[in-house]
Amino acid sequence: MAYHSIQGLAHGRLDLLNQLRTFLVTTIGWTLHDDQSADPQPYFVFKSHGESGAEDVYLQFRISTTSGRIHVAAFQYWDAATHTGVNEASHTSYTYLRVEDSADFIFWLFADLDHVFVVTKLVSTYYGHYSGLLKRFWSGAIALTQAAVTSGSGVVLQVNDATVVTPGQDYVIKDDAGIERVRVSAIDTAATPNTITVEALVRDYASGAKIGEDPQPVINSYYNAPGTFYAVNKFDGWTSASGQQGRCGAANGGLQGETDPEMRYGTTILFPWLASMSGSAAYQELRGELIEIFSVGGGNVASEDTIQIGTDSYRVFNLTTGGWCAVKE
């Protein structure tokens, strides 16, 4: 479905949780994958296959045991029958929506089937939280395994389309239970089905497993995004809930204050927020951009103003820590 945004008033954090459910499921088209509204800590798990229909996004929003928070977690997979997740990306101290427990507060929701961005206003402070897919710099093309495969050396995978990989290159393979990096040694596009041979496979994978450059670029940010985030995986898989740390940085070179407005025609410049993995040197890479969130200077705007660029409207916020952002409405 198309991109949408709303502004509303929440009567406490449980009300926001319920309004978020209505917005994501009814307006945007996410699936309510697990409804645990009767839990002592009520939560919902939302599922999306993305705008492309080929993604895997699982996000949990839960009333926290800590006041003033709705905890957010992303998962590689969520089992709705057992209410358990696989390969979580979160941190109990940082990945949450900043809210009021029972008092009224204003909020804004921005989302499509790829992501959701939540802004809350507490008194005069604005907090942002981003979760979902990145606009990836790597290819989103995937090959789907046509049968289950067993770990070992020189493993041959039957796939629907072997042309998406190149022999001698590394790729990520994942299903609902595991994820790892593999090196492709050969492909056969004449075979029916096509086959991909990998040098080694650490674990077994089910039929329907995905193999590609970046098959699940899902992140879960701090409560004061843009800034630090945790990813569901890095280029060689998953380590721990907070083991795939990254950060966002505006591609403005520190010049946003000098280009807002541009003197010649009084225009406003939107700079993308870049997302990079920022762990050990082995994992540092510029992975993509936040979707429809841009850095701007604050010289000619105030929070909650709108900027019109062509037919598109952008809502401006001076987010705590994140700075001046313009979010597409």
PDB file of all heavy atoms in Angstrom, residues 36-43 62-63:
ATOM      1  N   GLN A  36      -1.271  -9.941  21.676  1.00  0.00           N
ATOM      2  CA  GLN A  36      -1.174 -10.284  23.090  1.00  0.00           C
ATOM      3  C   GLN A  36      -1.605  -9.090  23.940  1.00  0.00           C
ATOM      4  O   GLN A  36      -0.949  -8.700  24.902  1.00  0.00           O
ATOM      5  CB  GLN A  36       0.255 -10.725  23.429  1.00  0.00           C
ATOM      6  CG  GLN A  36       0.666 -12.022  22.773  1.00  0.00           C
ATOM      7  CD  GLN A  36      -0.217 -13.180  23.205  1.00  0.00           C
ATOM      8  OE1 GLN A  36      -0.384 -13.451  24.392  1.00  0.00           O
ATOM      9  NE2 GLN A  36      -0.823 -13.868  22.235  1.00  0.00           N
ATOM     10  N   SER A  37      -2.758  -8.539  23.559  1.00  0.00           N
ATOM     11  CA  SER A  37      -3.286  -7.382  24.275  1.00  0.00           C
ATOM     12  C   SER A  37      -3.743  -7.737  25.682  1.00  0.00           C
ATOM     13  O   SER A  37      -3.902  -6.857  26.536  1.00  0.00           O
ATOM     14  CB  SER A  37      -4.438  -6.755  23.487  1.00  0.00           C
ATOM     15  OG  SER A  37      -5.400  -7.735  23.122  1.00  0.00           O
ATOM     16  N   ALA A  38      -3.980  -9.026  25.950  1.00  0.00           N
ATOM     17  CA  ALA A  38      -4.402  -9.459  27.285  1.00  0.00           C
ATOM     18  C   ALA A  38      -3.220  -9.816  28.183  1.00  0.00           C
ATOM     19  O   ALA A  38      -3.408 -10.161  29.357  1.00  0.00           O
ATOM     20  CB  ALA A  38      -5.343 -10.660  27.167  1.00  0.00           C
ATOM     21  N   ASP A  39      -2.009  -9.739  27.659  1.00  0.00           N
ATOM     22  CA  ASP A  39      -0.815 -10.050  28.445  1.00  0.00           C
ATOM     23  C   ASP A  39      -0.637  -9.004  29.557  1.00  0.00           C
ATOM     24  O   ASP A  39      -1.054  -7.849  29.387  1.00  0.00           O
ATOM     25  CB  ASP A  39       0.406 -10.045  27.519  1.00  0.00           C
ATOM     26  CG  ASP A  39       1.651 -10.590  28.174  1.00  0.00           C
ATOM     27  OD1 ASP A  39       1.869 -11.813  28.097  1.00  0.00           O
ATOM     28  OD2 ASP A  39       2.412  -9.793  28.758  1.00  0.00           O
ATOM     29  N   PRO A  40      -0.042  -9.374  30.693  1.00  0.00           N
ATOM     30  CA  PRO A  40       0.229  -8.373  31.728  1.00  0.00           C
ATOM     31  C   PRO A  40       1.047  -7.190  31.216  1.00  0.00           C
ATOM     32  O   PRO A  40       0.911  -6.075  31.697  1.00  0.00           O
ATOM     33  CB  PRO A  40       1.003  -9.167  32.787  1.00  0.00           C
ATOM     34  CG  PRO A  40       0.524 -10.575  32.614  1.00  0.00           C
ATOM     35  CD  PRO A  40       0.303 -10.741  31.143  1.00  0.00           C
ATOM     36  N   GLN A  41       1.905  -7.464  30.230  1.00  0.00           N
ATOM     37  CA  GLN A  41       2.590  -6.411  29.486  1.00  0.00           C
ATOM     38  C   GLN A  41       2.091  -6.489  28.044  1.00  0.00           C
ATOM     39  O   GLN A  41       2.693  -7.171  27.205  1.00  0.00           O
ATOM     40  CB  GLN A  41       4.104  -6.601  29.491  1.00  0.00           C
ATOM     41  CG  GLN A  41       4.779  -6.337  30.809  1.00  0.00           C
ATOM     42  CD  GLN A  41       6.261  -6.636  30.715  1.00  0.00           C
ATOM     43  OE1 GLN A  41       6.744  -7.629  31.261  1.00  0.00           O
ATOM     44  NE2 GLN A  41       6.991  -5.794  30.006  1.00  0.00           N
ATOM     45  N   PRO A  42       0.982  -5.825  27.758  1.00  0.00           N
ATOM     46  CA  PRO A  42       0.361  -5.980  26.428  1.00  0.00           C
ATOM     47  C   PRO A  42       1.341  -5.690  25.296  1.00  0.00           C
ATOM     48  O   PRO A  42       2.162  -4.771  25.378  1.00  0.00           O
ATOM     49  CB  PRO A  42      -0.768  -4.942  26.457  1.00  0.00           C
ATOM     50  CG  PRO A  42      -1.053  -4.730  27.897  1.00  0.00           C
ATOM     51  CD  PRO A  42       0.268  -4.861  28.597  1.00  0.00           C
ATOM     52  N   TYR A  43       1.250  -6.506  24.243  1.00  0.00           N
ATOM     53  CA  TYR A  43       2.101  -6.258  23.085  1.00  0.00           C
ATOM     54  C   TYR A  43       1.434  -6.770  21.814  1.00  0.00           C
ATOM     55  O   TYR A  43       0.526  -7.607  21.837  1.00  0.00           O
ATOM     56  CB  TYR A  43       3.481  -6.895  23.252  1.00  0.00           C
ATOM     57  CG  TYR A  43       3.545  -8.410  23.207  1.00  0.00           C
ATOM     58  CD1 TYR A  43       3.652  -9.094  22.001  1.00  0.00           C
ATOM     59  CD2 TYR A  43       3.544  -9.158  24.381  1.00  0.00           C
ATOM     60  CE1 TYR A  43       3.741 -10.486  21.959  1.00  0.00           C
ATOM     61  CE2 TYR A  43       3.639 -10.543  24.360  1.00  0.00           C
ATOM     62  CZ  TYR A  43       3.735 -11.202  23.144  1.00  0.00           C
ATOM     63  OH  TYR A  43       3.829 -12.573  23.111  1.00  0.00           O
ATOM     64  N   ARG A  62       5.659  -3.275  22.778  1.00  0.00           N
ATOM     65  CA  ARG A  62       5.196  -3.832  24.046  1.00  0.00           C
ATOM     66  C   ARG A  62       5.243  -2.770  25.156  1.00  0.00           C
ATOM     67  O   ARG A  62       6.200  -1.993  25.242  1.00  0.00           O
ATOM     68  CB  ARG A  62       6.090  -5.006  24.438  1.00  0.00           C
ATOM     69  CG  ARG A  62       5.671  -5.730  25.704  1.00  0.00           C
ATOM     70  CD  ARG A  62       6.468  -6.998  25.899  1.00  0.00           C
ATOM     71  NE  ARG A  62       5.824  -7.896  26.852  1.00  0.00           N
ATOM     72  CZ  ARG A  62       6.017  -9.204  26.870  1.00  0.00           C
ATOM     73  NH1 ARG A  62       6.832  -9.779  25.998  1.00  0.00           N
ATOM     74  NH2 ARG A  62       5.400  -9.952  27.766  1.00  0.00           N
ATOM     75  N   ILE A  63       4.202  -2.757  25.989  1.00  0.00           N
ATOM     76  CA  ILE A  63       4.215  -1.884  27.150  1.00  0.00           C
ATOM     77  C   ILE A  63       5.352  -2.315  28.062  1.00  0.00           C
ATOM     78  O   ILE A  63       5.409  -3.459  28.510  1.00  0.00           O
ATOM     79  CB  ILE A  63       2.876  -1.941  27.904  1.00  0.00           C
ATOM     80  CG1 ILE A  63       1.730  -1.457  27.018  1.00  0.00           C
ATOM     81  CG2 ILE A  63       2.954  -1.117  29.187  1.00  0.00           C
ATOM     82  CD1 ILE A  63       1.829  -0.014  26.589  1.00  0.00           C
TER      83      ILE A  63
END
